[in-house]
Amino acid sequence: MSVRRPLPSVHTGLSHAARIGAQPESRAAVQEGRMFHRGDHVVTETPTLDEDLLVEPEGRRPWVEFLTSTPGRLTVLGVALIAVVIAAGVLTSAAVGARQQRVEVLRTHTEPLANAAQALYSSLSIADAAATTSFISGGESGIGAEQFTQAVGDASNALVTATNGVSSQDAESLALLSDVVRNLAEYFNLVATAQANDRAGNPVGVAYLSDASALMQDTILPLAEQLYVRQSDAVAETQTHTAQLPATAFTVTAAALVALVLAQLYVVRKSKRRFNPGLAVATLLMAGLLIWLIAGSLVSTSASEHARTEGTQPINTVARARILAQQARADETLALLQRGADTQSEIDYTRHSQALSDELTRQLDSSHGDVAADDLRDAIAARDGWLAAHRDIEIALERGDYPTAAAIAAGSGSGTSAAKFAAMDEALQNAIDRLRDDEASAVTDAYRSMSSLAVGSMIIGVSCGFAVGGGIWPRLNEYH
């Protein structure tokens, strides 16, 4: 039985290697047909992703994720520190600048105005006493007339200074000055009328002079005293404010320093480094600003307190003593002009002279104003001589010896009442001048102690801001 073998075909005649080589292409073709044939259509374009169809996971906040990360925290820390240190510099500069402005106003405006008010009162009081003395001494050519002319000139200068120094917004002080000027015109008219009648030998001149003195003592001098008290209170109030420590500047600067120290500890822990140069420089600068602020404030406060306790307060006491002395002198001369018939003037003299003695004793026993102690002792010695001369005047009037009483009251001798009063008034004026010099020196020290701090604190604050940026930025770069 014969066996038929199949004839070899073309397919079967291919080599095994050829069949193997053709398989990958066939598979690729099959896969291509599967991927790009969609029913009867052939897809020839590459598929793309539409980003508009993407949906963020619900609740996802990129900025929260950034802030909770280390770079985000460092960024927030840097911005916050820069804001804090610059704010510390700005607030310190503002506080110190305001303080310096008050001290400058006190030094150049308020205190000179208060002194002008005091000089106005004293000059007017001296003019009133001198006008009476000129009558006693026998006319316009005597010592009293010269003193009256000098006192009127001094009062005019003080009035001009006070008028120019008063702020246009200080309505009360302007009203006081206006009343003084208006009443002074009437006073000078009364004095001129009295002098004209005296030259003519009319006794009515004494009555006109008494009216002028009453106008001065009851109206003009109280107005001038109100002006002085008002300006003196302004000086004391300013010195009280400048003697206070700038609490806001201290608080902000100390808070900035603490923030810098804590920030440096945080950055050191995060960066695994022991030292951050930028933050260290900022910390040292802020610590220097705080030390500068403390030292300057203590010196300024001490100087302002010295100006108040060793200057303003003693000046007020001595000024009151001088005012009382001038009032007593006016009472003395007016009582003599009335030839002892005016008992009220003698009563007023006793009251004013006793108050004068009390003020001088109180100031000399005080622990403040020691720079004027020698002048006060001279004033007390002259006061004792003046009181003794006044007793001689009373004795002369009691026995009816008016010429002797007038010579003691208005004479030029060293033992006369006029000479003793002039010595006492000069000693009181010297005491005021010494106290003013001490006060001015203290106020200048208060100004100089913080003169550079206003600008320096601003520079330090900005420098700290740059130092903070220089310390934080390199750490942020490490995360890029």
Side-chain angles (χ1 to χ4, degrees):
M1 185 174 179
S2 62
V3 179
R4 295 183 179 180
R5 298 181 180 273
L7 296 175
S9 63
V10 177
H11 178 73
T12 58
L14 295 175
S15 64
H16 179 69
R19 291 196 301 270
I20 294 174
Q23 289 176 359
E25 294 180 0
S26 300
R27 294 174 181 173
V30 173
Q31 292 177 357
E32 183 178 356
R34 292 177 179 175
M35 291 179 60
F36 295 98
H37 284 77
R38 297 292 184 269
D40 295 335
H41 302 283
V42 178
V43 180
T44 59
E45 296 180 357
T46 304
T48 59
L49 180 62
D50 188 356
E51 295 182 357
D52 293 337
L53 300 178
L54 294 178
V55 179
E56 289 283 346
E58 186 177 355
R60 184 173 180 268
R61 298 178 181 177
W63 62 272
V64 174
E65 295 179 0
F66 173 74
L67 293 179
T68 55
S69 65
T70 300
R73 292 175 179 174
L74 288 176
T75 301
V76 173
L77 178 63
V79 172
L81 284 179
I82 291 174
V84 167
V85 295
I86 292 179
V90 170
L91 291 177
T92 301
S93 177
V96 173
R99 181 191 184 100
Q100 292 296 91
Q101 181 65 24
R102 286 194 295 267
V103 175
E104 182 65 15
V105 171
L106 171 65
R107 184 174 63 173
T108 61
H109 177 76
T110 310
E111 195 280 333
L113 181 56
N115 182 68
Q118 182 268 334
L120 174 63
Y121 187 101
S122 298
S123 299
L124 292 176
S125 185
I126 291 173
D128 184 46
T132 308
T133 303
S134 67
F135 268 67
I136 298 173
S137 60
E140 299 180 13
S141 59
I143 298 176
E146 297 177 359
Q147 291 177 344
F148 179 78
T149 302
Q150 180 65 39
V152 169
D154 294 340
S156 299
N157 293 333
L159 191 60
V160 171
T161 302
T163 303
N164 293 333
V166 172
S167 172
S168 59
Q169 299 177 352
D170 191 354
E172 184 174 349
S173 295
L174 290 175
L176 290 173
L177 286 171
S178 178
D179 291 340
V180 168
V181 172
R182 185 179 66 256
N183 286 281
L184 271 179
E186 182 181 355
Y187 171 81
F188 289 136
N189 287 333
L190 290 172
V191 171
T193 303
Q195 291 174 345
N197 281 275
D198 184 61
R199 287 193 299 268
N202 297 326
V204 73
V206 176
Y208 278 106
L209 186 62
S210 298
D211 292 340
S213 182
L215 177 62
M216 177 66 74
Q217 296 294 329
D218 298 337
T219 303
I220 300 177
L221 290 181
L223 291 172
E225 185 177 10
Q226 290 179 37
L227 179 65
Y228 170 69
V229 170
R230 181 175 176 81
Q231 300 305 322
S232 179
D233 290 343
V235 171
E237 181 181 0
T238 303
Q239 290 174 340
T240 300
H241 280 93
T242 56
Q244 297 175 354
L245 296 175
T248 301
F250 278 132
T251 302
V252 175
T253 305
L257 180 61
V258 172
L260 286 170
V261 173
L262 295 177
Q264 188 165 358
L265 294 176
Y266 174 79
V267 173
V268 167
R269 182 170 61 85
K270 288 295 183 180
S271 63
K272 307 302 182 182
R273 291 180 175 87
R274 296 182 178 179
F275 182 73
N276 187 288
L279 292 181
V281 171
T283 303
L284 291 177
L285 288 174
M286 192 56 61
L289 175 59
L290 182 60
I291 294 174
W292 188 5
L293 178 61
I294 292 174
S297 298
L298 290 177
V299 173
S300 179
T301 297
S302 176
S304 297
E305 185 66 16
H306 180 87
R308 185 177 66 86
T309 59
E310 302 296 330
T312 301
Q313 291 179 352
I315 286 175
N316 291 339
T317 302
V318 178
R320 285 196 301 269
R322 192 181 183 206
I323 289 171
L324 290 169
Q326 292 158 356
Q327 289 174 338
R329 175 61 177 170
D331 296 332
E332 179 183 56
T333 54
L334 190 59
L336 180 61
L337 191 63
Q338 298 289 345
R339 298 178 181 268
D342 185 6
T343 57
Q344 184 60 44
S345 295
E346 186 63 32
I347 293 174
D348 292 339
Y349 171 84
T350 302
R351 176 170 56 86
H352 288 147
S353 60
Q354 183 59 48
L356 163 66
S357 300
D358 294 339
E359 290 289 345
L360 291 177
T361 302
R362 183 183 303 109
Q363 179 55 42
L364 193 59
D365 294 339
S366 174
S367 59
H368 303 295
D370 293 337
V371 295
D374 293 340
D375 295 312
L376 290 177
R377 294 188 184 93
D378 293 340
I380 290 176
R383 178 211 60 187
D384 294 339
W386 179 39
L387 294 178
H390 182 76
R391 286 192 292 271
D392 293 338
I393 294 174
E394 290 179 333
I395 293 173
L397 288 176
E398 288 176 357
R399 65 173 182 260
D401 189 358
Y402 180 77
T404 300
I408 297 174
S412 58
S414 58
T416 62
S417 174
K420 294 299 182 181
F421 173 78
M424 180 182 63
D425 187 72
E426 182 181 2
L428 292 176
Q429 181 60 55
N430 291 337
I432 292 175
D433 292 339
R434 289 183 185 276
L435 291 170
R436 283 195 69 212
D437 291 341
D438 189 40
E439 179 187 29
S441 178
V443 171
T444 301
D445 291 340
Y447 184 84
R448 288 177 178 175
S449 63
M450 303 183 74
S451 59
S452 302
L453 185 56
V455 177
S457 59
M458 183 69 73
I459 295 175
I460 290 176
V462 175
S463 300
C464 284
F466 281 108
V468 169
I472 297 295
W473 182 252
R475 304 288 77 82
L476 286 175
N477 285 336
E478 294 175 354
Y479 292 90
H480 292 168

